[in-house]
Amino acid sequence: MLGGRLSTFPRWLCSAGTCLDRARTLASVSGSGASQQKQENAISQPLERVSEISLDPSILPLRVPLDAAKGSFTEEQYAASLVHGRSIHHPFFHPRTHNVPVASIHFRSHSPRQLEFFTHFATHAACALGIPVSRPVMLPTKRTLWTVLRSPFAHKKSQENFERRVHKRGIKAWDADPEVVARWVAYLRQHAMGGVGMRITRWERMPLGIGSSHAAGLAAGFGKSPSASERSQRIKTLGEEIVKAETEATEGSVRVSS
Amino acid sequence: MAMGKNIRVLRDIKARHGVQANEVARRAYLFVARNETLPPQVRHQAQLQLNSFGKYTRPTTVKNRCTETGRGRGIISEFGLCRFQFRLKALRGELNGVQKASW
């Protein structure tokens, strides 16, 4: 029954299912009758609308702290000690301290719902790591259009339109340590979602004196010709060889004929 | 072999191989033939050498063809398909993100 009811919810709210399961576990674990009554009421409430779930905190399970003196506890008891259902809300966005940009991530996908899900995940991950990030920003959707004839031959008047949309979102990050940002990026890469692409731009502070060392490195490598012009250089040298061979040949032929 | 295996496709494959094998030499001769600072006789010789290359070494003989049917016209180059194969595949949902539109 529970599953059937939840199946009408959008996919990104699926964690609500976990939340309700945890509520049951919690009710069975906690000994006090009053809180059990409250939880039962919470479960029996009709969950018709998404907004009710996301806005009403009273239906979310309460936290049951673990008794550290007991020492051992089951996995279910540990799970009940966590606050579940937070993932369907917005995370707490840490305020910026120095306004120094450290990373900018662009997400792109054909499916806006997958994109919304994954940006939600990315912001939660960043906020859990304590990185001040922006909310996901809408970037312009790229729309590519094609018009093709319906038939393999002739019948120009009967055509069909196709399109492909690439939806984009951007998240910016500030003020975090490069190592923390690297962790965040690695976590996002590890849990990358099929159908959602990421483009990560990171900025890092360089140590003092980087300019002079960079200039020294440039001076050392200045003698080498760049790879882009190697090809034209090769053509030129080969051309010169041909000129040489041809001039010799023509001179020889002139001598013979004269 | 998914590709349409007709003579035009085979010819195109042959041309692609020939162009790749002779590209540097051809362009070297072109460099000589079009270089106005060189004596006319040398340039003429280079032009004659250029003409002696086979016809499947010219880059203009390479033509994009439909990877399914080998059709040479109406190719949507992003997918390498002719317009009809593009439509069939798009309707079957085999092209990522491509869907029917109306405006």
Side-chain angles (χ1 to χ4, degrees):
Chain A
M1 185 192 76
L2 199 64
R5 209 163 51 192
L6 282 167
S7 65
T8 56
F9 285 15
R11 177 171 283 183
W12 65 274
L13 271 177
C14 275
S15 50
T18 336
C19 146
L20 287 171
D21 292 342
R22 293 307 175 212
R24 280 195 166 162
T25 319
L26 190 71
S28 60
V29 165
S30 63
S32 108
S35 77
Q36 192 165 2
Q37 188 63 36
K38 192 181 175 188
Q39 293 303 325
E40 288 299 325
N41 285 341
I43 290 170
S44 60
Q45 277 177 8
L47 302 175
E48 297 300 325
R49 293 173 58 82
V50 173
S51 57
E52 284 175 19
I53 266 217
S54 55
L55 294 180
D56 184 11
S58 69
I59 62 168
L60 292 174
L62 298 177
R63 191 172 170 217
V64 179
L66 274 180
D67 190 3
K70 273 187 179 176
S72 65
F73 45 84
T74 63
E75 193 176 340
E76 282 187 345
Q77 285 169 332
Y78 174 72
S81 73
L82 305 173
V83 176
H84 290 280
R86 285 190 305 184
S87 62
I88 64 168
H89 296 282
H90 285 299
F92 171 72
F93 287 89
H94 298 273
R96 297 177 232 165
T97 51
H98 296 82
N99 247 348
V100 178
V102 290
S104 153
I105 306 191
H106 282 200
F107 302 89
R108 50 175 61 201
S109 172
H110 296 309
S111 152
R113 296 178 66 183
Q114 282 185 334
L115 203 55
E116 192 183 336
F117 181 84
F118 196 65
T119 49
H120 186 80
F121 171 75
T123 48
H124 263 278
C127 294
L129 285 168
I131 307 174
V133 289
S134 69
R135 280 158 179 76
V137 180
M138 300 275 279
L139 295 171
T141 301
K142 189 177 181 186
R143 199 167 166 220
T144 319
L145 304 169
W146 294 277
T147 301
V148 294
L149 303 196
R150 273 176 203 270
S151 75
F153 179 73
H155 308 299
K156 171 72 172 168
K157 283 190 177 176
S158 171
Q159 302 194 359
E160 198 164 17
N161 295 318
F162 291 94
E163 70 172 349
R164 186 181 54 197
R165 293 180 189 205
V166 181
H167 303 269
K168 284 177 252 176
R169 302 281 187 281
I171 294 178
K172 287 183 180 177
W174 291 273
D175 301 333
D177 190 83
E179 197 180 327
V180 180
V181 177
R183 291 269 171 119
W184 181 43
V185 166
Y187 187 68
L188 291 185
R189 286 237 169 90
Q190 188 188 351
H191 298 279
M193 193 175 175
V196 178
M198 274 191 293
R199 178 182 291 167
I200 297 159
T201 317
R202 292 181 54 194
W203 297 282
E204 288 180 16
R205 289 278 173 114
M206 286 293 160
L208 281 177
I210 186 73
S212 51
S213 62
H214 197 62
L218 271 182
F222 206 69
K224 296 173 191 169
S225 63
S227 61
S229 64
E230 265 180 15
R231 196 179 173 78
S232 59
Q233 192 65 33
R234 202 173 149 210
I235 291 171
K236 265 190 181 174
T237 49
L238 194 52
E240 280 159 10
E241 279 172 22
I242 291 169
V243 173
K244 213 175 172 182
E246 289 292 333
T247 38
E248 278 173 7
T250 48
E251 278 170 4
S253 67
V254 166
R255 270 176 211 153
V256 167
S257 62
S258 57
Chain B
M1 190 176 177
M3 185 187 251
K5 199 178 173 183
N6 55 32
I7 183 61
R8 295 174 212 89
V9 171
L10 296 179
R11 198 180 291 153
D12 184 54
I13 293 170
K14 190 179 172 188
R16 279 169 197 267
H17 284 306
V19 167
Q20 196 186 12
N22 294 289
E23 188 187 358
V24 173
R26 269 193 70 93
R27 287 182 60 186
Y29 278 117
L30 258 182
F31 169 75
V32 175
R34 293 182 182 174
N35 193 342
E36 294 185 357
T37 63
L38 296 175
Q41 202 170 1
V42 173
R43 292 178 61 197
H44 187 61
Q45 283 298 323
Q47 188 61 50
L48 289 179
Q49 284 295 322
L50 267 181
N51 294 344
S52 74
F53 280 101
K55 73 172 174 184
Y56 294 122
T57 60
R58 281 180 215 126
T60 50
T61 50
V62 171
K63 182 160 177 59
N64 288 341
R65 294 197 154 267
C66 176
T67 53
E68 287 292 318
T69 59
R71 192 181 147 96
R73 294 180 180 212
I75 305 297
I76 298 175
S77 52
E78 186 174 345
F79 302 100
L81 295 170
C82 70
R83 57 169 201 241
F84 189 62
Q85 292 299 320
F86 168 78
R87 173 171 174 263
L88 291 182
K89 288 206 162 200
L91 290 178
R92 266 187 258 141
E94 292 174 11
L95 303 178
N96 219 350
V98 177
Q99 54 191 3
K100 266 178 76 83
S102 66
W103 62 84

